[in-house]
Each structure stands twice: as structure tokens, then as C-alpha cells.
Amino acid sequence: MDRSQMNHTAQITNCNMNSSPMKGYMVLSSPSLKISIAVLFSIFGILCILENCLVLYLIFSSPKIRKKPSYLLISSLALADVLVSIIFVCSFVDFHVFNTTDSFKEIFLLKLGGVNTSFSASLGSLLLMAFDRYVCIQRPSEYKVIVTRKRALVAMAIMWITTMTIAFLPLMGWNCCKACSELFPFVDNNYLTSWICLVMILLVCIVYTYMKVLWKAHKHTVYMEKHQSQAGRQNARMRMDVTLTKTLVMVLVVVMTCWFPVLALMAYSLFNRLNDHIKKVFAFCTILCLVNSMVNPIVYALRSMELRSSLRNTSSRFRKKLRSSESPAETDSTQKALPIKTTCDSIVCDTDMNLQKD
């Protein structure tokens, strides 16, 4: 073995085994900071797991709901958010609170790949759901033909495979030992730039798609206000459009509020040296990404009439198991009293056909 090969081997060994590069990223030196961030991550992580597991249970426990493409996309989002709450919380607390360093950088990059996969899949699921809403409001009469269960599964598979491939690129070789990112050990700045661009593209597509849906809902509301003479059913449609508008505005506000600070600091780190204070701010800002995963079930899933109906059915069955004195006939009558409507039909697919020509 010549001298250059020996130096290269020594450099790789030093990069793998030396924990000093990783210690430079552990900026939470104060015990009070460590306790506060551990408490926050633990609370939000547990709530996120409970909420998203509840959504997954409600979807897959109902044969009618789990067959619908819209709820397959919601289940993809819930699964990604469960992974976020488990992998991200455990990795972050282990690294920043307990100051655990891995003997090999591949172990750290494996954990980082899991975190990137879960966050990217969460945003990818949000984008698929945005397209689902867009098709639903733009072409309601053709919705069931365009958005099928098979196409939804294919889109989900492509999205998950793509996000996993991109997330594990550092583990597959696109990494560094020295002159790395200011925020992440062993992460090349070029890779970080690419990942930021990917997330920005996803967010821009989500915002653009929902803005198109909002514009369509606004036009529908204006149309209904001009035809107040046909009260009854049209007033109900207008109320649904107003509700949809409020929901989508909430979606956009939550997504941008949770992701903008983190992405801004990541982009800033590419061009400037960061002091420990900014790194601490970044550590606390990452909590917002976890909050986004915690809020997603409330914004997307539990506002759905079908899932609320399924939740009431589940609660009713659970209460009746505790009160075994009630008859089966009462259970059946209670379940029949809770009708289920499709997500798209409950929002916009009953829109007046004259509006579809706009």
C-alpha cells in the first residue's frame, strides 16, 4: 500500500471513529435548555403518535373508508408523521440532550436518512392530497374516473421510493468529513442545497395547488351569492365552500409557519458562518416541523365527516362494550344513524355544472 492510500485510509478511519466533529454540533450546553427541549419534544412526539395512530386505525378499521383514494393519501400522511415523531424525536433527543455520538458516521447518516425520509414523505403526501383536492373541485364529475385506488397506490409508492432514495444519498456516498454543513455533521453543503430546493419545490407546489382550489371556491361562493333566490340547497353548498376556504387557509398558514424558519436558517447556513446562538435557535425551530406533523391529523383527517363518523362509531362501540347490558339492536341502530359521505362529495362534487365551465 503506497503513502497516498495509507493517508486516505487514515482519513476515513479518523472520520468514522473521531467523535470531535459531532461534538461541535451539540450546542445545548445548559441543563435547563436540555430539559426544556426534551420535555417539548416528548410531549409533541407522544401527541403526534397518538393522533396519527388514531387516524390510521379509523381508516383501516372501516372497509368503506380504506377503499377510497383520498383516505389512502391521508393514511400515507399519517404514517409519515408517525415516523417523524418516532425517528426524529429519538434521534434529536439522543444527540442534543444525551450527547450520544456514533462510532461510525454511517450510523449517524442512517438515522439522518430516516429523519429526511419521514419529513420528505410527509410533505410529499401533502402534495398528493393537494392534487386530490384540486381534481375534486376542478373536475368533480370525472373525479372517480381520474382518481382511482390503483393510481393513488402507484403515486404513493413512487413518492415513498423517491423520498427514500434522496434521503439516503449521504449514506450512499454523498457526504463529507471536513468542511461540512454548519448544521448537520457529515452532510455536504451541496446535498443540503439540493434537499432545501426539493422541499421548497414541494412547498411551492402545495401552495400553488391550494391557491387554485381557493380561487375556485371563491368563484363558487360569489356565484352562489348572486343566486340567493334558490336558497336551501345552494345555501348549503355556499356554506361548504366557505368551510373549505377556511380549511385551506389554515393548511397554508400551518405549512408555511412551520417550515419557513427552518428552511430560512438552512439557506442562511450555506452562505454564512453560524454562531452557537443561531444553532440553538435552529434547534428550537425544528420543533415547528414536529408541530406540523402533530397538527396534520386535525387539519386533514379529523375535520372529515367520514372520519368523525367513524370515530363516533368506534367510541360508541367501546362504550357499549363497557356497558354490556345494552342490546345488539341498539348498537346497529346507532351505527345506521351515522351516515357516511365521500370526502369529495361533501366538499365540492355537488357543485352546479354551470360553474364547471368557468
Side-chain angles (χ1 to χ4, degrees):
M1 182 180 293
D2 58 25
R3 184 181 298 272
S4 62
Q5 290 176 327
M6 292 175 63
N7 291 336
H8 180 66
T9 303
Q11 183 180 8
I12 292 176
T13 304
N14 181 64
C15 187
N16 283 337
M17 301 300 294
N18 189 5
S19 62
S20 58
M22 298 184 69
K23 290 185 180 296
Y25 294 87
M26 299 174 181
V27 294
L28 301 180
S29 56
S30 170
S32 59
L33 283 178
K34 291 183 178 181
I35 293 173
S36 60
I37 205 165
V39 170
L40 287 174
F41 268 77
S42 299
I43 293 174
F44 291 148
I46 292 172
L47 289 176
C48 185
I49 292 173
L50 293 177
E51 290 176 355
N52 286 285
C53 286
L54 175 61
V55 170
L56 290 172
Y57 173 78
L58 293 177
I59 291 175
F60 290 102
S61 64
S62 172
K64 292 183 179 179
I65 292 179
R66 66 170 177 257
K67 292 180 180 179
K68 296 175 182 177
S70 296
Y71 289 103
L72 289 177
L73 301 180
I74 292 178
S75 67
S76 174
L77 175 64
L79 175 60
D81 288 336
V82 168
L83 294 178
V84 165
S85 58
I86 296 175
I87 302 175
F88 177 57
V89 171
C90 292
S91 300
F92 191 96
V93 172
D94 190 44
F95 184 79
H96 284 286
V97 176
F98 297 107
N99 298 139
T100 302
T101 58
D102 299 308
S103 299
F104 295 92
K105 71 174 182 179
E106 285 78 11
I107 298 177
F108 176 83
L109 293 175
L110 178 64
K111 297 177 183 177
L112 183 65
V115 173
N116 288 345
T117 297
S118 53
F119 275 124
S120 301
S122 180
L123 289 176
S125 299
L126 289 178
L127 180 59
L128 293 178
M129 291 170 61
F131 283 137
D132 175 74
R133 300 295 193 269
Y134 177 77
V135 174
C136 182
I137 196 171
Q138 192 69 25
R139 304 175 68 178
S141 60
E142 305 173 39
Y143 173 80
K144 292 184 178 179
V145 177
I146 298 175
V147 183
T148 62
R149 178 182 172 86
K150 181 179 180 180
R151 290 178 178 176
L153 290 172
V154 170
M156 288 166 51
I158 293 174
M159 184 273 296
W160 276 92
I161 292 173
T162 302
T163 54
M164 287 182 65
T165 302
I166 295 174
F168 284 101
L169 284 176
L171 182 61
M172 292 186 282
W174 194 358
N175 56 64
C176 63
C177 182
K178 297 181 180 180
C180 300
S181 166
E182 289 276 312
L183 296 172
F184 306 100
F186 309 124
V187 174
D188 187 88
N189 273 326
N190 292 327
Y191 172 79
L192 183 60
T193 302
S194 302
W195 193 82
I196 293 173
C197 291
L198 170 66
V199 173
M200 288 298 298
I201 290 172
L202 291 174
L203 290 176
V204 168
C205 290
I206 291 170
V207 172
Y208 175 77
T209 305
Y210 275 130
M211 290 301 294
K212 294 283 288 184
V213 174
L214 283 173
W215 177 244
K216 186 70 174 180
H218 169 72
K219 290 170 65 178
H220 191 197
T221 302
V222 172
Y223 176 85
M224 290 303 174
E225 288 175 347
K226 292 180 180 179
H227 297 77
Q228 286 291 332
S229 57
Q230 302 177 11
R233 188 177 178 183
Q234 290 192 351
N235 284 339
R237 293 173 185 169
M238 186 169 67
R239 285 194 298 270
M240 283 189 291
D241 283 343
V242 172
T243 301
L244 174 65
T245 302
K246 292 179 180 179
T247 300
L248 297 185
V249 169
M250 185 189 307
V251 167
L252 296 179
V253 170
V254 168
V255 169
M256 296 310 298
T257 301
C258 292
W259 280 94
F260 179 77
V262 170
L263 292 176
L265 288 174
M266 284 184 182
Y268 180 79
S269 71
L270 296 174
F271 306 100
N272 300 275
R273 298 287 296 180
L274 303 182
N275 55 38
D276 286 347
H277 176 71
I278 297 179
K279 291 180 180 180
K280 291 177 183 177
V281 171
F282 176 78
F284 277 91
C285 284
T286 56
I287 298 177
L288 292 175
C289 298
L290 182 61
V291 170
N292 184 35
S293 295
M294 185 183 69
V295 173
N296 281 339
I298 301 173
V299 175
Y300 290 94
L302 299 181
R303 290 172 63 91
S304 162
M305 286 192 301
E306 287 185 278
L307 288 184
R308 289 202 305 269
S309 178
S310 178
L311 180 60
R312 288 194 296 268
N313 287 341
T314 302
S315 301
S316 177
R317 289 195 299 268
F318 179 74
R319 287 195 303 267
K320 288 179 180 180
K321 285 182 180 179
L322 297 178
R323 300 195 304 262
S324 57
S325 59
E326 293 189 11
S327 63
E330 291 177 337
T331 303
D332 294 338
S333 63
T334 302
Q335 293 177 359
K336 291 178 181 178
L338 298 172
I340 292 180
K341 299 179 181 180
T342 64
T343 303
C344 194
D345 290 344
S346 66
I347 297 177
V348 288
C349 282
D350 200 26
T351 305
D352 191 5
M353 292 305 295
N354 292 331
L355 194 63
Q356 308 307 317
K357 299 177 181 179
D358 294 344

